[in-house]
Amino acid sequence: MSYRSDDVPVTPDSVLLVIPAHNEGPNIERVVAEARLTHPDYDILVVDDGSDDKTAEKARRAGAMVLPLCYNLGIGGAVRAGYKFGSRHGYPIVARIDGDGQHDPRLLGNMVEMVRSGQADMVIGSRHMNGRGYVPSAVHWIGIRFFASLVSLVTGQRFTDTTSGFLVVNQACCAFLARYLPADYPEIEGLIKARKAGYSISEVPVVMRPRLDGQSSIGTWNAIYYVFKVTLAILVSASRQQEDFGCRK
Amino acid sequence: MSQVEVIALGATLGLLALVIVLIRRSRLEEGYSLLWMLAGIVLVLLAAWRGLLRIISDGLGIFYPPTALFVVGFGFVILILLQFSVVISRLSRENVDLVHRIALLEWKLDQVTRSDEQPGQGPAPCDPDMPPAHPNEDAGND
């Protein structure tokens, strides 16, 4: 599938900002408006992950492009759709923030600059690098440490925040993730796969804000499934060879 | 023949016949029928041929030979369920790709429709200077 190049005028300086959103009606307008205000030069793409509310309409009204998924795929499926969009239109840089207002778009400028200057293929905003602003519960803290250690062990690089949805990638890494990002709980797996395929990844400290409104997506049963699924995925990725990803290096 | 043998033979023959009928009527794809055919044939053989069943039950240390029939049948059930999981995994992966493709096409269609409605004004979906659109502006497109 290919598009006419004038669909979206993409230049070497273009940045695509992907915002996955599932029933973020109360927040999405503010999130899009804030992103447009801070970065008027970014193209903003809201991936509406099969919302029941007016997320798509509100995002469109706030001035974003909207990619409507016909039913709910989960965060990974939504983000991957955004990466496919970015990859097909040839965006040199694709950023991603959450649709609930946790991520301050003002922090993106520095991350985008790091990717643009070639310091890293992927830059992740980490909540836990300087320990300010975000205080997890005890159980959550154990989970964060567990996965951070496991990922560090598997990739041979130290990571502090493996579940951050606040990240910027370059074109090659975007194309890779458009292909290999899993449908649910994608952050850790995406990180490991990209690392194993030879993409360089850096973390920068960020302060995240509380959600604007509504509930977070992870409950108790989901948390148990999360731990099981992601641990398994890490072990599977660890046992795979680099060639399995059609890697570039 | 004992009563249990008659029932076992009847049931396994019935299963095999059902599988064949479903394939003939194209209700069951050949690719997915392979394990079912194999299960049917092996079970009919075991039900009809006492000697073979006895060899298997002796080999497995089973005292009551018909139990071996259930063991073999259960093995097939596990295999077939595993095949289902593999197929379902593939289907859901393909399904996600379809949803993505539809979304990208829908977006594209929306662009084309808009630029047709406003000739001379190319699509500027995220023009920073553009004031937020009026809520009713999109009504005609949906």
Side-chain angles (χ1 to χ4, degrees):
Chain A
M1 192 158 41
S2 67
Y3 295 120
R4 284 202 324 263
S5 55
D6 59 349
D7 274 352
V8 189
V10 176
T11 68
D13 293 329
S14 289
V15 175
L16 179 69
L17 177 59
V18 174
I19 308 177
H22 173 61
N23 290 343
E24 293 288 3
N27 304 324
I28 196 69
E29 262 172 312
R30 272 183 285 176
V31 172
V32 171
E34 190 186 17
R36 283 188 66 185
L37 200 66
T38 19
H39 301 287
D41 48 332
Y42 289 7
D43 291 347
I44 300 172
L45 178 74
V46 170
V47 184
D48 174 30
D49 192 9
S51 299
D52 305 319
D53 63 3
K54 296 188 179 300
T55 298
E57 193 188 311
K58 286 182 172 173
R60 217 172 266 135
R61 201 184 305 160
M65 301 186 277
V66 173
L67 197 60
L69 303 186
C70 46
Y71 59 85
N72 183 249
L73 289 184
I75 183 83
V79 172
R80 192 145 74 92
Y83 284 143
K84 278 188 182 171
F85 184 96
S87 189
R88 294 219 160 113
H89 290 98
Y91 278 93
I93 290 180
V94 178
R96 180 209 146 177
I97 62 172
D98 281 351
D100 58 8
Q102 282 190 76
H103 302 144
D104 187 343
R106 281 173 300 180
L107 303 169
L108 275 173
N110 172 39
M111 294 163 72
V112 164
E113 229 19 77
M114 284 177 74
V115 173
R116 188 174 278 150
S117 63
Q119 284 181 60
D121 298 315
M122 180 194 284
V123 174
I124 302 172
S126 165
R127 282 162 285 191
H128 313 305
M129 251 174 121
N130 57 10
R132 280 190 297 123
Y134 176 76
V135 184
S137 68
V139 178
H140 199 171
W141 187 84
I142 293 170
I144 290 165
R145 293 301 315 149
F146 171 71
F147 282 120
S149 316
L150 202 54
V151 171
S152 305
L153 191 72
V154 168
T155 59
Q157 182 183 345
R158 189 170 165 271
F159 289 105
T160 56
D161 191 352
T162 52
T163 56
S164 172
F166 193 14
L167 48 99
V168 178
V169 296
N170 64 12
Q171 194 170 7
C173 198
C174 171
F176 177 83
L177 291 173
R179 224 175 134 188
Y180 292 108
L181 203 67
D184 55 354
Y185 308 132
E187 290 87 6
I188 294 181
E189 246 183 290
L191 180 62
I192 292 181
K193 284 178 173 173
R195 190 72 195 83
K196 290 211 93 188
Y199 294 100
S200 60
I201 304 173
S202 293
E203 281 187 322
V204 294
V206 295
V207 178
M208 293 194 193
R209 308 175 290 199
R211 293 177 53 85
L212 283 172
D213 192 29
Q215 281 291 306
S216 165
S217 54
I218 296 186
T220 309
W221 284 111
N222 283 341
I224 293 169
Y225 169 73
Y226 180 99
V227 171
F228 174 76
K229 192 252 168 180
V230 174
T231 306
L232 187 65
I234 292 173
L235 297 178
V236 169
S237 300
S239 69
R240 270 191 192 152
Q241 294 302 309
Q242 287 196 355
E243 298 86 68
D244 294 350
F245 296 125
C247 116
R248 58 170 197 160
K249 282 180 187 165
Chain B
M1 272 183 143
S2 67
Q3 193 184 359
V4 67
E5 284 172 318
V6 173
I7 293 172
L9 189 61
T12 51
L13 273 175
L15 174 69
L16 190 58
L18 188 63
V19 171
I20 291 170
V21 167
L22 286 174
I23 298 171
R24 274 180 52 96
R25 292 186 185 166
S26 302
R27 297 275 297 273
L28 184 59
E29 291 275 331
E30 284 86 350
Y32 302 130
S33 67
L34 211 69
L35 267 173
W36 281 113
M37 289 284 285
L38 199 64
I41 292 168
V42 169
L43 290 179
V44 168
L45 269 179
L46 289 178
W49 185 7
R50 278 192 96 151
L52 185 62
L53 197 59
R54 186 150 296 139
I55 292 169
I56 291 174
S57 52
D58 284 350
L60 293 174
I62 294 169
F63 293 111
Y64 181 56
T67 307
L69 194 63
F70 291 107
V71 171
V72 173
F74 187 69
F76 275 113
V77 168
I78 295 282
L79 279 181
I80 289 166
L81 284 181
L82 192 60
Q83 189 196 22
F84 284 173
S85 297
V86 170
V87 172
I88 291 169
S89 301
R90 199 196 67 218
L91 285 177
S92 49
R93 204 166 48 237
E94 290 169 348
N95 216 12
V96 169
D97 285 338
L98 276 179
V99 171
H100 285 164
R101 190 159 276 221
I102 291 170
L104 290 164
L105 284 172
E106 206 172 307
W107 182 86
K108 166 83 176 159
L109 185 66
D110 199 40
Q111 293 302 109
V112 172
T113 320
R114 268 172 215 219
S115 60
D116 280 354
E117 282 173 3
Q118 305 164 341
Q121 194 183 341
C126 198
D127 184 352
D129 299 328
M130 187 180 69
H134 192 270
N136 294 331
E137 192 181 280
D138 290 349
N141 291 342
D142 294 329

